[in-house]
Amino acid sequence: MAMRPPLPVPTISRRAKIIIGVIVLLVLALSVLGSLVRLYVDWLWFTETGYRVVFRTGLWTRIFLFLLFGIVMSAVIATNLIVAYRFRPPFRPMSAEQQNLERYRSALDPRRRAITIVVSGVLGLFAGITAQAQWQTWLLWRNGQRFNIADPQFHRDISYYAFTYPFQRMILGYLFTAVVLAFLVSLVVHYLFGGVRVQTPGEKVTPAARVHLSVLLGIFVLLKAAGYYLDRFGLLFNSRDNRTGASYT
């Protein structure tokens, strides 16, 4: 069977790259400038009221959460990208699908290290930005105290619902995001390098790719089970018939 010639890899002109780069830098500069202005105004207000220590506590907590969750997300994404690339099959069956993908492989393979750094860095940046917004949840968990009053449903101290439960939900949501993103980027790499073959006759998923993706799916299922476990305690926050708390059907 004759194979059709691969399509050329689309390229961007140097001028277009410069324009895109300038636009991205302007957007980032405006975002950073707006954040710095708000930060300076808050600093002036807390200084004027004599609570500068509160401002410092919130600021350093946000920086800590940004770095912690950003680095962890970047490490998770980078690890899965590397694993997915190393699990690529040494030989791929000839097909129109694989022939078209070869042009992308030829373009991406020499730049795989830079792509790994950029992708993991960008996703880590967004994860850090999202996590630092939860600084109050973190501080409530770190500084929570017992109320010595148990709830009538699960017999847990009420402090659990005020301090620990929101933090557990925050961590669970972060882990869900990390696993889903890791699965998606791994799936893309497996597809580009022949581990997943959608239109190629024969085996659709190589054993190595199947193991990798199955492990991520297994972790997702375990996290889902943890979510169901926490949902029990969330029942106490339900509102029905002008009542708040667990009910029955």
Side-chain angles (χ1 to χ4, degrees):
M1 181 178 65
M3 304 298 294
R4 62 182 178 181
L7 299 174
V9 179
T11 58
I12 301 177
S13 65
R14 180 179 179 83
R15 182 178 179 182
K17 291 179 180 179
I18 294 176
I19 294 175
I20 294 174
V22 171
I23 293 175
V24 171
L25 288 177
L26 286 175
V27 172
L28 291 176
L30 291 175
S31 300
V32 172
L33 182 62
S35 299
L36 290 177
V37 169
R38 289 191 296 270
L39 193 66
Y40 179 66
V41 172
D42 289 342
W43 180 78
L44 291 176
W45 188 87
F46 278 101
T47 301
E48 187 68 23
T49 57
Y51 286 96
R52 189 182 296 179
V53 63
V54 177
F55 175 82
R56 288 200 301 266
T57 300
L59 177 61
W60 286 114
T61 301
R62 294 172 74 168
I63 294 174
F64 169 73
L65 292 178
F66 175 82
L67 294 176
L68 175 63
F69 286 86
I71 291 173
V72 171
M73 179 65 78
S74 296
V76 170
I77 299 301
T79 300
N80 281 274
L81 285 172
I82 294 172
V83 170
Y85 178 78
R86 291 187 177 181
F87 280 0
R88 70 192 187 282
F91 303 102
R92 292 172 288 271
M94 293 299 298
S95 67
E97 177 189 29
Q98 295 304 314
Q99 191 177 22
N100 288 330
L101 288 174
E102 187 61 36
R103 61 196 176 99
Y104 293 104
R105 288 193 282 263
S106 301
L108 297 176
D109 200 29
R111 304 177 180 89
R112 65 182 183 276
R113 182 171 298 179
I115 293 173
T116 299
I117 294 174
V118 171
V119 172
S120 59
V122 169
L123 294 179
L125 177 65
F126 283 110
I129 292 174
T130 303
Q132 63 85 29
Q134 302 292 327
W135 63 277
Q136 291 179 326
T137 302
W138 172 275
L139 286 178
L140 285 172
W141 172 70
R142 290 284 297 169
N143 299 281
Q145 301 292 325
R146 291 183 60 85
F147 294 167
N148 295 320
I149 302 175
D151 77 88
Q153 185 69 34
F154 300 106
H155 309 293
R156 284 177 173 261
D157 192 88
I158 299 298
S159 61
Y160 169 79
Y161 303 96
F163 307 125
T164 305
Y165 179 78
F167 173 73
Q168 290 176 339
R169 278 294 178 188
M170 165 186 156
I171 296 298
L172 187 63
Y174 177 83
L175 293 176
F176 267 122
T177 302
V179 172
V180 170
L181 291 177
F183 180 86
L184 292 177
V185 297
S186 299
L187 183 62
V188 170
V189 174
H190 282 304
Y191 176 72
L192 286 176
F193 288 92
V196 176
R197 307 153 187 166
V198 178
Q199 300 175 355
T200 301
E203 188 179 43
K204 300 299 182 183
V205 183
T206 62
R210 185 181 298 110
V211 170
H212 183 198
L213 298 176
S214 296
V215 169
L216 293 175
L217 287 175
I219 296 175
F220 180 85
V221 171
L222 291 176
L223 292 176
K224 193 65 177 176
Y228 286 135
Y229 175 79
L230 291 180
D231 284 344
R232 301 185 310 152
F233 307 113
L235 293 175
L236 298 184
F237 298 95
N238 285 341
S239 296
R240 295 191 184 94
D241 301 327
N242 296 324
R243 300 177 182 178
T244 300
S247 58
Y248 68 92
T249 301

